[in-house]
Amino acid sequence: MFNKLSFKIGLLFFVFILIMETFLFFILYTNVANERINEVMDSLLARGNMHRDVLEDKFDRTTLEHVSLMESVSEFAVIIVDESGEVIISSDPIEKEMENVIRHTDANNIPTKGKVVEERWAQEKYIATDSPITINDKHKGHVFMFADTNNVKKVVNHISDQFIISGLIIIALTIMTIIILSRFITSPLIKMKEATEQLSKGKNTVQLHTERKDELGELANSITKLSNDLEEMKRARNEFLASIAHELRTPLTYIKGYADIVSRQDISPQEAKEYIKIIREETEQLTVLIKNLFDLAKMDQNSFVIGQKRVILYDLIQTVIDLVTPVFAEEQLTLSVKCSKELIAFVDPDRLQQVLINILDNAKKHSQRGDHVKLEVTEDKFNTLITISDEGEGIPEEDLPYIFDRLYRVEKSRSRESGGTGLGLSIAREIVAAHGGYIRIFSERGKGTRVSIGLKR
């Protein structure tokens, strides 16, 4: 339970909210309590001022007794003293605390509107006010009003009880709200966790609600996309393995079959020689396929090494032309080259040669006798462009988006003479991309194909 995300989020929210609520409640409580205490003191001072006003109108024994009688039946006490501080009359027995207030009050510092002279309600028994009596500009005495601090404490305790009850209710509501919100927040995360567990078990198709527009929605979209990608990778892997099995099975079948024939005693030397030639061709085809597979495996593991260096492009291309010219001549194809002898490229010569041979070999396979294949090298401001064009049969428009897919063949019959292994263009694209360049194919059925390779200058 304590390791659950919902508990951690809820606890974090609760701690922060509790700190803020405590701070706000403390300020509010202090302000309300002080306001109520001030109201009590202001009321007591107003009561003393009222008696003072009556005495200033008629300062005699009858009025003094009347004031004393009024307060004797109230919860307050009044003590009236003369200008020298001697007690004239009091409504209640004078206690020691009252005497201390009267004795320590400096009459010269009391304003005519009166003053609270004892306000320490938490430490003292009484709070007290002093209202000076002035008749015809002459100081005649003071009206001291006393109120038991228990009354003030009752008010403060009542306020405290209300705040405690309110605080408990708010804390309970806060806890309920946090529980609901944390579950609301973590619910989609729990579903995503379950989805990722399904992915780890091999179930690549998961369904998540991706309608949310927040970060959780983006995460759900990412997991759904990952699920779809894994499903697509699984499908592609199965197709790839099936294709590899087919590619390996075919030459091995030829090799085994013709080897069995050669081992027979009743075949002529001429037939044996022909069958051995077929075995050699299939072995070479199998070697090329396995080499291509190793290259792809290195690319997938990011261990495919590109050793770039400054190369005179004309010399590299001339080497390629020397290698393919006999094959082109055998097929009665013409090959022309246009490349400046001054062009310098920063490339891996062996890998670039591999790319050019692969593309020229494809051009040869898909061209008719008498066709012309052209290789041209140009430069613009940023790139060195190598373009190989042929006049062959071209590529159907619907096949162009998949032409670089592994083991994809336009020739669905999987003919070795026209289709190859189906890995050459995939490897070529990876090699060019490792150089920081690009490779693009433009083709139209019946009008030929143009392959453009762009390498950074």
Side-chain angles (χ1 to χ4, degrees):
M1 172 183 176
F2 297 106
N3 291 325
K4 286 187 176 181
L5 181 60
S6 58
F7 176 79
K8 293 179 180 179
I9 292 176
L11 182 61
L12 186 63
F13 282 177
F14 178 76
V15 170
F16 277 106
I17 292 175
L18 184 62
I19 292 173
M20 288 188 293
E21 287 180 349
T22 302
F23 177 71
L24 293 175
F25 262 66
F26 174 76
I27 294 176
L28 183 60
Y29 168 79
T30 302
N31 290 337
V32 171
N34 288 338
E35 185 177 345
R36 293 300 303 274
I37 293 170
N38 290 334
E39 287 179 0
V40 173
M41 293 184 179
D42 290 343
S43 176
L44 185 64
L45 180 59
R47 196 176 185 92
N49 288 341
M50 180 185 68
H51 295 320
R52 185 269 316 273
D53 293 340
V54 171
L55 292 172
E56 285 180 344
D57 289 339
K58 193 174 184 180
F59 192 73
D60 56 20
R61 191 67 188 179
T62 302
T63 306
L64 291 170
E65 291 177 353
H66 177 71
V67 170
S68 174
L69 181 61
M70 285 179 59
E71 295 301 345
S72 64
V73 295
S74 69
E75 58 184 3
F76 305 109
V78 62
I79 298 176
I80 302 174
V81 299
D82 59 19
E83 63 275 12
S84 62
E86 295 296 326
V87 175
I88 300 174
I89 195 170
S90 65
S91 62
D92 295 84
I94 300 175
E95 299 182 16
K96 181 179 179 180
E97 292 83 359
M98 296 178 180
E99 287 183 357
N100 290 334
V101 171
I102 296 171
R103 189 181 308 113
H104 291 93
T105 299
D106 186 358
N108 296 323
N109 291 327
I110 303 301
T112 56
K113 63 180 180 179
K115 179 182 177 181
V116 177
V117 293
E118 180 59 76
E119 57 183 10
R120 295 175 295 172
W121 60 271
Q123 296 85 22
E124 301 296 332
K125 185 177 181 180
Y126 296 99
I127 58 174
T129 65
D130 181 0
S131 301
I133 303 171
T134 304
I135 301 175
N136 296 325
D137 296 328
K138 291 183 180 181
H139 182 215
K140 292 294 185 178
H142 298 266
V143 176
F144 286 94
M145 292 295 300
F146 294 88
D148 196 325
T149 55
N150 286 330
N151 295 328
V152 179
K153 292 175 181 177
K154 287 180 182 178
V155 172
V156 174
N157 291 336
H158 180 66
I159 295 173
S160 300
D161 293 342
Q162 289 181 327
F163 269 82
I164 290 174
I165 294 172
S166 300
L168 293 175
I169 293 174
I170 291 176
I171 290 175
L173 292 175
T174 301
I175 292 173
M176 293 175 59
T177 303
I178 289 174
I179 291 174
I180 295 172
L181 287 178
S182 61
R183 289 185 179 275
F184 176 76
I185 294 173
T186 57
S187 177
L189 292 176
I190 292 172
K191 293 179 180 178
M192 293 176 199
K193 168 182 164 292
E194 294 172 349
T196 55
E197 289 176 349
Q198 293 297 321
L199 291 176
S200 67
K201 294 177 182 178
K203 183 181 177 182
N204 296 330
T205 303
V206 297
Q207 297 294 330
L208 292 171
H209 295 291
T210 58
E211 296 83 6
R212 298 175 64 121
K213 301 301 180 183
D214 54 12
E215 289 81 358
L216 292 177
E218 293 176 0
L219 180 58
N221 278 317
S222 298
I223 293 177
T224 302
K225 185 177 182 299
L226 175 62
S227 168
N228 296 334
D229 290 345
L230 288 174
E231 185 65 24
E232 180 63 24
M233 288 177 60
K234 181 179 179 181
R235 182 193 63 77
R237 181 191 64 186
N238 292 337
E239 291 181 358
F240 183 75
L241 291 175
S243 299
I244 289 297
H246 177 88
E247 294 294 337
L248 292 174
R249 187 185 302 114
T250 301
L252 289 174
T253 301
Y254 282 140
I255 292 170
K256 181 179 183 303
Y258 285 110
D260 290 341
I261 295 173
V262 170
S263 64
R264 287 162 44 184
Q265 301 295 325
D266 57 345
I267 65 170
S268 65
Q270 183 63 32
E271 290 177 324
K273 184 177 180 181
E274 182 179 347
Y275 294 150
I276 291 173
K277 179 182 177 183
I278 295 174
I279 291 173
R280 185 179 296 110
E281 290 175 351
E282 293 299 327
T283 303
E284 291 175 356
Q285 181 69 24
L286 188 60
T287 301
V288 172
L289 175 62
I290 293 174
K291 178 181 179 300
N292 288 341
L293 288 174
F294 273 118
D295 285 344
L296 286 175
K298 289 180 180 179
M299 292 173 183
D300 290 340
Q301 296 173 4
N302 296 321
S303 59
F304 190 75
V305 179
I306 296 292
Q308 292 177 264
K309 60 183 179 181
R310 292 172 62 84
V311 174
I312 300 175
L313 206 52
Y314 177 84
D315 294 342
L316 187 150
I317 290 176
Q318 195 58 51
T319 302
V320 173
I321 298 303
D322 292 342
L323 290 173
V324 302
T325 295
V327 182
F328 272 65
E330 185 180 340
E331 298 293 332
Q332 298 181 10
L333 300 173
T334 58
L335 176 61
S336 65
V337 178
K338 183 179 179 182
C339 177
S340 172
K341 294 183 179 182
E342 288 77 26
L343 285 180
I344 303 294
F346 189 66
V347 296
D348 184 326
D350 294 333
R351 294 301 183 186
L352 184 58
Q353 180 176 307
Q354 179 183 351
V355 171
L356 296 177
I357 290 176
N358 179 274
I359 296 172
L360 288 169
D361 186 59
N362 285 340
K364 174 187 72 69
K365 289 177 180 178
H366 297 282
S367 297
Q368 303 295 325
R369 291 179 182 272
D371 284 350
H372 179 68
V373 178
K374 181 170 63 175
L375 190 155
E376 183 177 5
V377 182
T378 59
E379 280 187 326
D380 61 19
K381 187 175 181 180
F382 303 104
N383 298 306
T384 299
L385 303 175
I386 303 174
T387 304
I388 300 174
S389 306
D390 64 53
E391 300 172 346
E393 60 192 31
I395 302 170
E397 184 179 354
E398 62 272 14
D399 289 314
L400 279 175
Y402 312 102
I403 201 70
F404 290 106
D405 290 355
R406 297 177 182 183
L407 295 174
Y408 185 84
R409 283 203 186 95
V410 175
E411 189 67 38
K412 300 301 188 293
S413 64
R414 295 182 179 271
S415 168
R416 285 189 138 60
E417 294 181 358
S418 61
T421 64
L423 296 174
L425 286 178
S426 298
I427 295 173
R429 181 178 62 176
E430 297 289 345
I431 291 174
V432 174
H435 282 81
Y438 64 85
I439 179 170
R440 297 169 184 164
I441 294 182
F442 308 90
S443 184
E444 187 175 348
R445 193 66 170 171
K447 294 186 178 181
T449 301
R450 176 168 56 89
V451 180
S452 178
I453 300 171
L455 301 171
K456 290 183 179 180
R457 291 185 58 178

